[in-house]
Amino acid sequence: MQTIALGAFTVTRIEEMLTPGFDPGFLFPAYDEAILTRNPDLAEPNFLDPTSRRLMSSMHSWLIRTDRHVILVDTGCGNHKERHMPGFERFHMLDKPYLRHLAEAGVRPEDVTLVINTHLHIDHVGWNTQLVDGRWVPTFPNARYIYGAQEFKHWRSPEGGLVGMPGNGPVMEDSVMPVWEACQVDLIEDGDRILDGLSVELAPGHTAGQMFVRLESGHHAAYFTGDCLHQPMQVCRPDWNSRFCEDQAQAVATRRRLLDHAADRNALVFPAHFGAPHTGYVRRTAEAFRFEPLTDAA
């Protein structure tokens, strides 16, 4: 468990699970096997499981610490939750040592001051709550939870996200709404500053109200990308959307904007699902971009 120092901030990955996930041809409808020939690093076992030929998929939180705050960006899938969505069976009734991993980083649930959900999908909000005496209650009792105002509205609207992804309904019921009902939620808008050096930017496409988190401290910069990026393949092929992106054209535009920012700023990117080493830099190439993993990141 490596901690990365970025000016006034430190960042540590808190693992929930790291397993083979989707077949690349399923996750990316535009998938072309030739990408592995042109970019052989993408076929390494940390990104593509050699046995199943499925993409390695990490579920984790990014733990950001300052001298005053303990912040979690996204909270994985959560334990003991019924997940019957086709394709997401590996998230059903989990019993993972996420809180133990958090404790190994020196953090108790009551120490967390902020939880930022980049969007409200099944694998980004799970540890928002835990089951206590038959009820879903906030896992982090002293934290303010930050939801994008547009994202929250999108999933609560009869014409919103549940039309295309009805299986996310139980996620709202057990992982999103209990925090709202506990009055621990702050709704934020595009460009809002969370605290000095930490802000959010609207990143629509994957969902209508997805956000990415921007960190800036001195000469350091970083982006916590949510699902603007699912896999390193999308750095090389920003025109490839996942099958779960709601607005295909907007998702590509948002991804290109993020990659441009990251390359121009020499910023670290902290995606939500990349295999080891889970973080790295975006570099320009003659054709587009490439992903440069951060050496020795854990």
Side-chain angles (χ1 to χ4, degrees), residues 16-17 59 76-83 89-96 127:
E16 180 183 39
M17 56 193 289
M59 304 297 156
C77 303
N79 279 355
H80 312 127
K81 297 188 172 182
E82 294 190 11
R83 298 295 184 243
E89 292 83 2
R90 70 185 189 279
F91 302 158
H92 179 65
M93 297 301 288
L94 294 176
D95 186 13
K96 298 294 182 182
W127 281 99

Side-chain angles (χ1 to χ4, degrees), residues 11 62 64 73 118 198 211-213 215 222-226 270:
V11 182
W62 291 112
I64 305 174
V73 179
T118 59
L198 209 63
M211 306 175 298
F212 65 74
V213 179
L215 181 156
Y223 295 95
F224 298 83
T225 69
F270 290 92

Side-chain angles (χ1 to χ4, degrees), residues 3-296:
T3 294
I4 301 166
L6 297 170
F9 301 88
T10 63
V11 182
T12 307
R13 175 177 167 274
I14 306 299
E15 181 173 297
E16 180 183 39
M17 56 193 289
L18 177 60
T19 63
F22 294 115
D23 179 278
F26 174 83
L27 183 60
F28 302 125
Y31 178 70
D32 179 355
E33 189 84 12
I35 194 172
L36 301 180
T37 303
R38 293 192 297 268
N39 303 274
D41 55 308
L42 297 177
E44 293 295 318
N46 55 322
F47 293 140
L48 187 68
D49 178 58
T51 302
S52 67
R53 303 301 289 174
R54 292 176 177 265
L55 295 162
M56 292 303 296
S57 180
S58 177
M59 304 297 156
H60 56 252
S61 296
W62 291 112
L63 169 65
I64 305 174
R65 282 179 277 203
T66 74
D67 58 353
R68 295 182 53 201
H69 286 282
V70 178
I71 305 161
L72 293 173
V73 179
D74 291 328
T75 63
C77 303
N79 279 355
H80 312 127
K81 297 188 172 182
E82 294 190 11
R83 298 295 184 243
H84 298 295
M85 294 172 63
F88 292 94
E89 292 83 2
R90 70 185 189 279
F91 302 158
H92 179 65
M93 297 301 288
L94 294 176
D95 186 13
K96 298 294 182 182
Y98 173 87
L99 293 180
R100 189 185 77 205
H101 293 161
L102 192 62
E104 289 168 357
V107 175
R108 304 167 301 170
E110 56 267 33
D111 297 330
V112 176
T113 59
L114 291 170
V115 176
I116 305 170
N117 294 139
T118 59
H119 60 296
L120 301 180
H121 271 173
I122 183 173
D123 50 346
H124 291 259
V125 299
W127 281 99
N128 281 6
T129 61
Q130 59 183 331
L131 194 61
V132 177
D133 296 330
R135 295 178 56 247
W136 295 108
V137 301
T139 303
F140 309 104
N142 299 321
R144 301 302 300 171
Y145 288 67
I146 294 175
Y147 300 164
Q150 186 170 328
E151 179 78 351
F152 189 55
K153 180 180 179 181
H154 177 61
W155 288 102
R156 298 185 77 197
S157 166
E159 295 81 33
L162 293 179
V163 173
M165 189 179 282
N168 213 52
V171 177
M172 293 294 293
E173 293 172 8
D174 62 33
S175 298
V176 175
M177 293 310 299
V179 186
W180 176 261
E181 292 158 2
C183 300
Q184 288 183 231
V185 173
D186 294 326
L187 298 178
I188 59 174
E189 303 282 358
D190 182 32
D192 280 357
R193 182 176 67 88
I194 299 171
L195 49 90
D196 286 343
L198 209 63
S199 60
V200 297
E201 186 170 329
L202 191 64
H206 181 61
T207 65
Q210 179 180 235
M211 306 175 298
F212 65 74
V213 179
R214 183 199 308 266
L215 181 156
E216 295 183 313
S217 182
H219 67 278
H220 298 283
Y223 295 95
F224 298 83
T225 69
D227 279 353
C228 296
L229 297 167
H230 283 83
Q231 290 286 332
M233 289 180 178
Q234 290 174 290
V235 179
C236 303
R237 292 298 304 263
D239 55 319
W240 286 4
N241 286 326
S242 86
R243 68 171 51 251
F244 304 109
C245 292
E246 293 179 352
D247 185 323
Q248 298 291 307
Q250 185 65 68
V252 171
T254 291
R255 188 174 306 110
R256 290 187 182 277
R257 173 166 55 90
L258 172 65
L259 293 172
D260 275 328
H261 287 344
D264 291 344
R265 187 71 171 82
N266 192 36
L268 270 174
V269 292
F270 290 92
H273 303 302
F274 281 24
H278 311 290
T279 183
Y281 295 95
V282 173
R283 304 302 189 199
R284 293 190 185 278
T285 68
E287 297 179 351
F289 305 94
R290 64 180 176 87
F291 180 64
E292 180 182 296
L294 181 65
T295 305
D296 297 328

